[in-house]
Every structure is written in C-alpha cells, then in structure tokens.
Amino acid sequence: MGRREETAERDTKRVALFVEDSAPFQLVARAGYAVSGVLHALIGAIALTTVFGPERGRADQTGALVKVVEIPAGAVLLWAMVVAVLALGLWQIARGIAVSEKDGRRRWFRRISAFAQAIGFVAIGVIAARIAIGGKSGAGNSKTLTAAVLSVPGGAVLIVAAGVALFGAGVYFVVKGVSRRFLRDLGPEGTAVRRSVELLAVTGHVAKGIALAVLGVLVVVAAVTSDPKQASGLDRAFDAIARLPYGEVLIVIVGVGFIAYGVYCGFRARLARL
C-alpha cells in the first residue's frame, strides 16, 4: 500500500470515528433501533392476525410500514422513521470502517456484520421512503427482481447464494439468542435491567432466526424450480410455517417472538453500546 492509499485510509477512518462518536448521530441511531422495534412488533402482530384475525395481512416490513402510514399523522411518522433508520445505517457503516480489532479474522467478521446490518437498515429506509411518497414496494418487486436474476446466465447460482445467506443469517440469529451473545450489544447497565430484557431477546432472536431460515429455504427453492413466486418476503415464510403440522401454533409462537424482539429493540435503543 502506497503513502497516498495509507493517507486515504487514515482519513476515511478519521471521518468514520467522528460519525461513530458523534452525539447527534448516536441519538438518531438509537431512534433507528426503536423504529426497528416498532416494525418487528407490527410484523409479529400482523402474523398473529393470520391466526386470530378476520383478515390476512402482509406480515413483512412492507406490510408493517403500510400500517404505519394508515394511522393519523402516519406520513410524518414514516418520514421520521426514514431519517432514523438511514442514520442508523450510516452509523453502522462508520462502525464497520472504524473497527480496530487486532485479530484480522475477528476484525473482518465485525466489519462484515456491521456492513450487513447497514444494508438492512438502508433497505428499510428506502422501502419506507417509497411508501411515504406513494410508491409500491414489497413482494411483487421481490418476484420481479428474482425473475430478472434467474433470466441471466448464472442467475440461479446468485439466487441460491442469497438463499443460503438468508438461511445462514437465520441460524446466526438462533445461535445469538440461545448463546445470549446479544448481551455484548448492551451497555454496562445494572443486572436487573439486563435480566429484564434477556428473555425477550432470547425469544425474539430465535423467532426471527426461524423466519429468516425458512425464507432462505424458499429462495433456494425458487432458484431450483425457476419459480420467482416462491421467493417473496417474510409473509411467504409465515405462510410456509402455517402449512406445517401444528402450523397455527408455530405462527403464534413466531409472532409472539417477533413482538418480543421488537420490545427488546426498544430496550436496545436505550441500552445499546454505541
């Protein structure tokens, strides 16, 4: 690496550290965690309506955001959510760039984890913005994108890779919940506070992991069968779970788990280690 590249890298890290340590960015980042909590709780509630409610809803991020825009002053709230989650995405990017772990493998693992979370939050922000301005986003676009990728040479391989990545993310969430690794994300608060959110976090991580793993399997099936309809959002994953033996019971468990994860995110907005 030449002197110019080293200087550029130092400057980039300096900016990243400034963003990471910025009090206003940290405040908005915490708001982003709160927004994530609201969306997860709404997804869980919509999933429960597929069992107990008279109407079926879209139990995914798009369906949850549509519910937000339908309430009084929902458009204003939705734009506030856009700002919060995009700022959280930017903060995660800065966090990834500024990683100072000495061990190379752990450094890159933490960096990739931060960048992956950034992509997720930015995606939520883009979807929310499109809904706020009256655009459409969601399952139909997922199917169109999947069809487009499947139509190019090697597209099925890319879809399989995406499915495997989603399945891996699901396993990661389950392991993180069961092993209680999420405690590393929380600040050094009193044990009573940490214990009060621990059960919520375990339940929520496992439930979200199961849903993501099922979604990953569906994406792989879409690639193998060349059927874009198989690849959709979390609502499709919930439908697949519902068709299993005792599927309605499983949906209730997963739906409650998503609500628990949403409440945990609310606590994380206050307690997160930033």
Side-chain angles (χ1 to χ4, degrees), residues 3 5-6 8 16-17 27 39 51 55 86 98 103 128 135 148-149 152 161 164 180 202 225 244 254:
R3 178 174 296 179
E5 288 80 4
E6 290 179 351
L17 285 169
L27 179 62
L39 294 181
V51 177
E55 299 180 0
L86 289 179
D103 183 275
V149 176
V152 302
V164 171
R180 290 168 170 74
V202 171
T225 62
L244 297 173
V254 175

Side-chain angles (χ1 to χ4, degrees), residues 2 24 42 64 82 85 183 209 234 244 249:
L42 282 173
V82 170
V85 293
L183 291 175
L234 282 172
L244 297 173
V249 176

Side-chain angles (χ1 to χ4, degrees), residues 73-152:
V76 176
L77 178 58
L78 198 58
W79 279 115
M81 288 181 164
V82 170
V83 173
V85 293
L86 289 179
L88 180 53
L90 179 59
W91 184 85
Q92 289 287 357
I93 292 173
R95 180 187 179 193
I97 295 173
V99 168
S100 59
E101 180 70 47
K102 292 182 179 180
D103 183 275
R105 287 182 299 180
R106 292 188 61 182
R107 180 172 64 251
W108 277 105
F109 176 81
R110 290 179 59 187
R111 185 165 288 169
I112 291 172
S113 174
F115 290 160
Q117 291 182 67
I119 292 172
F121 287 120
V122 169
I124 294 173
V126 171
I127 294 172
R130 294 189 63 178
I131 293 174
I133 61 177
K136 295 182 179 179
S137 181
N141 286 346
S142 297
K143 295 173 185 177
T144 302
L145 177 61
T146 304
V149 176
L150 285 172
S151 67
V152 302

Side-chain angles (χ1 to χ4, degrees), residues 180 182-183 186-203 264 267 271:
R180 290 168 170 74
F182 54 82
L183 291 175
L186 304 179
E189 295 290 329
T191 57
V193 176
R194 293 171 74 96
R195 287 173 183 171
S196 67
V197 303
E198 191 167 335
L199 179 60
L200 291 170
V202 171
T203 305
Y264 160 72
F267 278 103
L271 305 175

Side-chain angles (χ1 to χ4, degrees), residues 39 60-69 78 81 124 127-128 131:
L39 294 181
D60 58 9
Q61 291 168 344
T62 302
L65 290 166
V66 169
K67 291 294 182 183
V68 171
V69 81
L78 198 58
M81 288 181 164
I124 294 173
I127 294 172
I131 293 174

Side-chain angles (χ1 to χ4, degrees), residues 147-187:
V149 176
L150 285 172
S151 67
V152 302
V157 176
L158 295 176
I159 297 298
V160 168
V164 171
L166 279 170
F167 184 85
V171 173
Y172 169 77
F173 268 91
V174 171
V175 172
K176 185 175 182 178
V178 173
S179 66
R180 290 168 170 74
R181 292 182 183 174
F182 54 82
L183 291 175
R184 302 174 184 174
D185 299 331
L186 304 179

Side-chain angles (χ1 to χ4, degrees), residues 185-244:
D185 299 331
L186 304 179
E189 295 290 329
T191 57
V193 176
R194 293 171 74 96
R195 287 173 183 171
S196 67
V197 303
E198 191 167 335
L199 179 60
L200 291 170
V202 171
T203 305
H205 277 83
V206 171
K208 183 174 181 178
I210 291 172
L212 288 176
V214 172
L215 180 57
V217 171
L218 292 176
V219 171
V220 172
V221 170
V224 173
T225 62
S226 298
D227 183 4
K229 294 181 180 180
Q230 296 292 336
S232 186
L234 282 172
D235 54 340
R236 181 77 181 184
F238 284 126
D239 285 340
I241 294 173
R243 288 194 294 269
L244 297 173

